[in-house]
Amino acid sequence: MMTAGLTFTYLTRDDLPAIARMLAKERVCEWLFFGPNTPETTESYFLPLVEGIELALAGGRAPECPVFTIREKETGTFVGQCALFQVEFSPGVYLIGYQLDDPFWGKGYGTEACEFLVHVGFNLLDGYRLNGDCAAGNVASVRVMETCGFVEEGRQRKYWHARGGYHDRLLFGLLREDLPEGRLSALAERFGEP
C-alpha cells in the first residue's frame, strides 16, 4: 500500500536487519518497555511473525497478526514498522503498535502509520475496537493517537519497569462508531489493499 510519502508492505525476512538496527538504539527504545535489543533478540521475536505472514499469504489468507514495514516511497528507505495484534478472547479487537527510526521523527510518519492501522483494523479486519497504549511520558505517541481519534481511557500506574525506573501505562481506545461519517471510506481510498 502506498500513500503520498510512505509504502506499507507485509514484514519479510529481509526487513529484519533494519528493524534490529532500529531497536538496538537507546533513543528509539526510550519509551518502550523493551530494548535496546540485540539483533538476536529482535529477530527471535519477529521471525515467528514473519513465518505466520508467509503461511497466511501462501494460503491466500490475510495474516492473523499483520506486521508491516514502513518505507519512504521516493527512496525506499526503511522508516519503521507497525502492527495489529488481536486481543485474546475478544474477536474484532486489536492492539496497535508502531515504532519509527529516529531520523524520521517529527515528519508526520507516526500519524500516517496510525491512520494506516485504523484502516487495516476497521476496513480490512472488520474490527470494532482498536486499543493503543504508551508510556505516560511519551508525548509524541499520545499526540499521534489523539490525532487519529483515539481517546485516553485510563492509566495503569507503575505498569512497566524499564531502564531502572517505573513507567505508567496510558490506555487509549477507538471504536468504529467514534469515526466521523466517510472517514473509513476515505482511508480505504487512501490506502487500498496491502
Side-chain angles (χ1 to χ4, degrees), residues 68 70 81-85 95-99 113 117 131-133:
F68 301 93
I70 308 167
Q81 64 88 24
C82 61
L84 290 126
F85 301 94
L95 174 66
I96 66 163
Y98 45 83
Q99 287 89 37
L117 294 175
N131 296 330
D133 65 10

Side-chain angles (χ1 to χ4, degrees), residues 1-6 8 108 111-113 115-116 119 183-193:
M1 293 184 205
M2 275 192 238
T3 66
L6 299 177
F8 297 87
T111 300
E112 194 165 345
E115 288 178 339
F116 172 74
H119 163 63
R183 175 127 182 255
L184 286 178
S185 58
L187 289 173
E189 247 181 71
R190 181 174 170 196
F191 292 112
E193 292 283 330

Side-chain angles (χ1 to χ4, degrees), residues 17-77:
I19 291 175
R21 281 190 298 278
M22 174 181 70
L23 292 178
K25 295 179 179 181
E26 180 72 39
R27 186 166 184 225
V28 171
C29 296
E30 178 182 5
W31 295 112
L32 301 176
F33 64 90
F34 58 88
N37 298 328
T38 65
E40 295 78 21
T41 299
T42 297
E43 290 184 21
S44 70
Y45 175 80
F46 281 97
L47 189 56
L49 298 171
V50 169
E51 291 168 346
I53 291 168
E54 291 170 344
L55 282 172
L57 295 178
R61 301 180 321 274
E64 287 182 26
C65 183
V67 182
F68 301 93
T69 302
I70 308 167
R71 294 188 180 277
E72 284 188 315
K73 180 181 174 183
E74 291 293 317
T75 64
T77 303

